[in-house]
């Protein structure tokens, strides 16, 4: 059986993974609750289906307002870049495979959130929100996960050196059962 690679006992590895799963569920519930609240607005614009149109409109604002608007799109799902690999619990995973799985999963979560959000009063479907969410997840994943995995691998390699082998001492004659011959 292959371990998760965090070092320590299997119970400790299980606790690491369980903590990652719990934090992932808590984060998704919080983001879902915040994103699916109805807004009280006097009017609602149509869905924004043209890629990068909302981002261009945000960049036309003042620098502070543009940073706030784009940050509001990047930050909500960004912790998934760390929480998804943590919940999976593999230390020796392919960096490209891990990034691909994380980005794909976050894109599907963001798409589901956008589709459900379009049915809520005051919320509209926005393709740029999907792009910003996935960009935030990918940026956090690239910034944190490879370095964290490398650090954990170094720590687990240094903590568990090869056991010192003692020379085997003879234990005596092997016991035999009477009336049982030796196989040819």
């Amino acid at each position: 059986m292959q371990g998760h690679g965090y070092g320590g006992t299997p119970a400790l590895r299980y606790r690491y993974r369980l903590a990652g799963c719990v934090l992932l569920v808590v984060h998704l519930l919080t983001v879902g609750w915040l994103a699916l609240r109805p807004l009280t607005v006097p009017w609602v614009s149509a869905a924004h289906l043209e890629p990068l149109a909302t981002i261009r409109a945000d960049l036309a604002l003042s620098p502070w307002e543009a940073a706030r608007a784009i940050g509001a799109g990047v930050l909500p799902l960004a912790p998934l870049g760390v929480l998804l690999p943590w919940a999976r619990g593999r230390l020796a995973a392919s960096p490209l495979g891990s990034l691909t799985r994380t980005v794909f999963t976050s894109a599907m979560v963001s798409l589901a959130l956008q589709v459900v959000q379009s049915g809520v009063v005051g919320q509209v479907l926005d393709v740029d929100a999907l792009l910003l969410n996935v960009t935030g997840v990918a940026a956090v994943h690239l910034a944190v996960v490879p370095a964290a995995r490398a650090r954990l691998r170094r720590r687990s390699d240094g903590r568990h050196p090869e056991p010192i082998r003692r020379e085997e001492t003879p234990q005596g004659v092997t016991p035999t059962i009477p009336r049982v011959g030796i196989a040819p």
Side-chain angles (χ1 to χ4, degrees), residues 13 16 19 23 34 44 53 60 75 79 81 98 104 115 132 162 172:
R13 291 190 301 259
Y16 278 142
L23 288 173
L34 291 173
V44 176
L75 293 179
S98 176
F104 178 75
V115 169
L132 289 173
E162 281 290 318

Side-chain angles (χ1 to χ4, degrees), residues 98-162:
S98 176
L99 177 66
T100 304
R101 280 188 300 273
T102 302
V103 167
F104 178 75
T105 304
S106 66
M108 293 299 110
V109 167
S110 180
L111 180 63
L113 192 62
Q114 287 293 319
V115 169
V116 172
Q117 192 177 24
S118 67
V120 175
V121 176
Q123 304 278 359
V124 294
L125 180 69
D126 188 5
V127 170
D128 291 338
L130 177 80
L131 293 173
L132 289 173
N133 285 335
V134 172
T135 301
V137 170
V140 168
H141 182 87
L142 288 172
V144 175
V145 173
R149 281 186 174 154
R151 183 172 183 235
L152 286 171
R153 277 194 300 267
R154 277 194 310 272
R155 193 173 81 181
S156 68
D157 289 345
R159 187 175 286 177
H160 300 292
E162 281 290 318

